Amino acid sequence: MTELLVDIIAGARPNFMKIAPIIRAIQARRAQGGPLRFRLVHTGQHYDERMSGDFFRQLGIPAPDVNLEVGSGTAAEQTAGIMVRYEKLLMERKPALCLVVGDVTSTMACAIAAQKLWVPVAHVEAGIRSGDWTMPEEINRMVTDSITNLFFTTSDVANANLKRAGVGDDRIFFVGNTMIDTLLANMDRLAKPPFWDELGLQPGGYFVLTLHRPANVDSSGSFARLLRAIGEGTRGLPVVFPVHPRTAKTIREVADVPASLKLVEPQPYLEFNYLVKHAKAVITDSGGITEETTVMGVPCMTLRDSTERPETVSIGTNDLLGTDPAALAPALERLFAGKWKKGAIPPLWDGKTAERIVAALERVLVK
Ligand code: UD1
């Protein structure tokens, strides 16, 4: 039997939970005699223990075979750096396929480098669109999908977006959500963070806040207004705020962070999702977190004007509030009045997505 090498690309924090189950599914099939082998390529876009190492350890991801060590920089510097380094690796040994996940700079950069050397590309979480070109992730999604061969999708909306763009049915694989594979696999392992008692946290008695989008955190004036509105609307309950490195830079310039906001380091996976699972609600500008809150049935308020994950709103527990701080008060009133929607789990978010991906890859790659 011919062995088939797949490059699995991971670069930034939200990639790690998406690749973990795919790696496990490849390893499981290999133990049964399956043909796929992988080369794990870490681009080094996120490099801190807090943003990267902790996730590898907690999720049991093997050490990367290669680390491109691109580090921080502007979008163009990171894209170019990853492309140059990954191209060199591809020229040393070409895989049968390059598998990218999500929408970060590393996703797009590696897809371009691979496709230019005639290495076919598979994109996991393909087809989702916010329509907002000011988000770097939207550009990454559009560019990646324009040169992807195999599209693995999380939702019917993603399928429809791809079909509208002219992608044939035979290249679209509606498989579900690998991030949810990871969440379901780890639900019993979620771990109380060390500051739980110190902050006096009680199940259902606190909020979780995450903010890192440039539109929300890059200007200290509007960021300060947003934090004030959150402090007021949450009625003195503790608001646990794991601060992303990008956000940490601006928060230093905010003089009056409300006292109920509890600033903590970025949390490892198991601690972060423990916090989410037991929170009264989550306030965020992340996309992935809205999927996790939907599956855990935790109310979620998204401080963005658009979402590439509309099923978290139409089916799940998420509501899109926009970026005007004034929208928070009425939403929080609805929550405190016990009127937040209950939500349901979107189709195929069942913990078996990675197995479906690996089965499809075997069907397509083994000629
Ligand atoms: C990236 C992703 C975003 C994802 C987010 C999750 C893109 C375009 N954006 O945004 O989709 O939601 O990661 O975290 O790819 N930094 C550190 N330590 C690290 C990594 C970064 O201190 O390990 C600092 C960098 O120096 C930089 C800032 O954090 O100043 C932003 O990092 P960067 O990777 O450029 O983008 P994110 O905002 O994290």
Side-chain angles (χ1 to χ4, degrees), residues 76 283 302 306:
I283 304 171
T302 297
S306 60

Side-chain angles (χ1 to χ4, degrees), residues 152 172 183 309 339 367:
F152 292 105
I172 302 174
L183 183 64
R309 295 163 163 93
K339 291 187 182 147
K367 302 270 163 41

